[in-house]
Amino acid sequence: MTAFLFADQNVMAPNLTAIAEDFGFTPEERDRKLGGDVAMVFFLVGAPVSVLIGYMTDKVQRNSLFCAVVFLGEAPCLATLLVTKYWHLVFLRALTGIAIGGAMPLIFSMLGDIFGIDRRAMISSILSTSMGLGISFGQFVSGMAALTTAGGCPSFLLPEPARGCTEEALRSKFEDPTTNFRYKERINWHKSLTVWHVRTNLLVFAQGAIGCLPWGMIFTFLNDFLSQEIRLSVQDSTAILTALNIGGSFGAFCGGFLGQYLFNKRPFLMTTMMGTSTILGIAPLLFLVNLPSPPSPLPPFGTLLFVAALTGFVGNFTGPNIRAILLNCNTPETRGTTFALYNLCDDLGKGFGPAIIAAMIVTQGRVAAFNTAVVVGWIGCGCAVLCIGFTMEADAAKVQEKVSLAAKGSGSGAQELELEGGPITGSPALDRNGHELQAICPA
């Protein structure tokens, strides 16, 4: 389901020049309008929707909300078949961004309540792999068959997990057969602001925004660059990008399992692996960006496929582990909002990244602009990830302390319990008769 959802994200990339010719665009207009503007609106429309849906995720039934988000986002994707003018394409691609932007907070909010801290990175890696395979499949079909859309929708819904049931501090309460414990904390305006007080969150948001510069170049421009400047066929260029995406899928899968293994030994080792792999991913990507132009001979095609797969493999170690870190460092009732803000920063990078690169192309040319984006983006991202190693253990411990206090019904200012009469902060929750309310609810 997730794979088909993400198949829509990159279907235009193999055919940028063909689409530009249909609209009568010059090469400069191709990069600016199709590579920059369309990519920007795709992610920037999804970004504010992601924040709204992330907040709703922490308040309402999540599986029904997910179904509605996917339907509202995928219907415009199907309507791309009817495009006849440029503004039609911009409008419909913007609406399609709703599905990508709105689904992420919902998916990971539910995963956090299904899997505990000792398995979240592994599960995140499986989900990241499905996302990468979906993107790869959509781009492959687009390049080979000249399609401009792909889509999918959820075929079934699983029962929604109970919030907080995987938290170590609450596990004994959920497992007690004599009680019917429920974690009743929900998001409110005050709690949504506390997301910005978590140091790990700020570092995650920063690495996501700057790290998207190289990915924006890869997904938006690299396919067209290989076919136009390096003079590969569209099919060969698409095959190289497909190899990169497949390598990325395996990288996300292996990175998540390796990250979970290192985390279970010592959390700091996980972030060291993540930051190092991000910086090492610069080398193979620069190899592809600086391939010689005709008439100079190219390396064997098999070598290009290997380097592309290596780029994706090494560059995708971080993704699943970053999402697991966010789950560990935020309380169950704030995870939807946190992932929405993460998506916002990520989408700002994906949206503004291609636009920034398109502006750089005008003054520097494609090769110089791509080199700058790769080096600046992944060095900055890698350094931010390394810094997370110094903050995440303390932030994760605070989460367990907060949920434990919430379960006891007293928070010393760290929580709010919502009653009929309004929120009461910093004191035990009392009913109308003055008795203290307990978190254990009768069946």
Side-chain angles (χ1 to χ4, degrees), residues 313-375:
F313 183 80
V314 176
N316 274 279
F317 270 32
T318 297
N321 295 299
I322 278 289
R323 298 179 184 112
I325 289 171
L326 279 183
L327 290 175
N328 297 340
C329 294
N330 291 275
T331 56
E333 73 274 16
T334 62
R335 285 174 183 153
T337 301
T338 302
F339 270 92
L341 293 172
Y342 168 69
N343 232 32
L344 175 63
C345 295
D346 207 39
D347 286 351
L348 287 175
K350 291 176 182 176
F352 283 115
I356 293 171
I357 295 171
M360 293 168 58
I361 289 173
V362 176
T363 57
Q364 302 178 26
R366 277 186 159 187
V367 175
F370 295 169
N371 277 276
T372 301
V374 171
V375 173

Side-chain angles (χ1 to χ4, degrees), residues 176-184 436-443:
D176 188 344
T178 64
T179 66
N180 186 24
F181 176 78
R182 288 184 296 164
Y183 184 75
K184 288 189 170 183
E436 183 175 339
L437 287 176
Q438 301 297 319
I440 298 176
C441 304

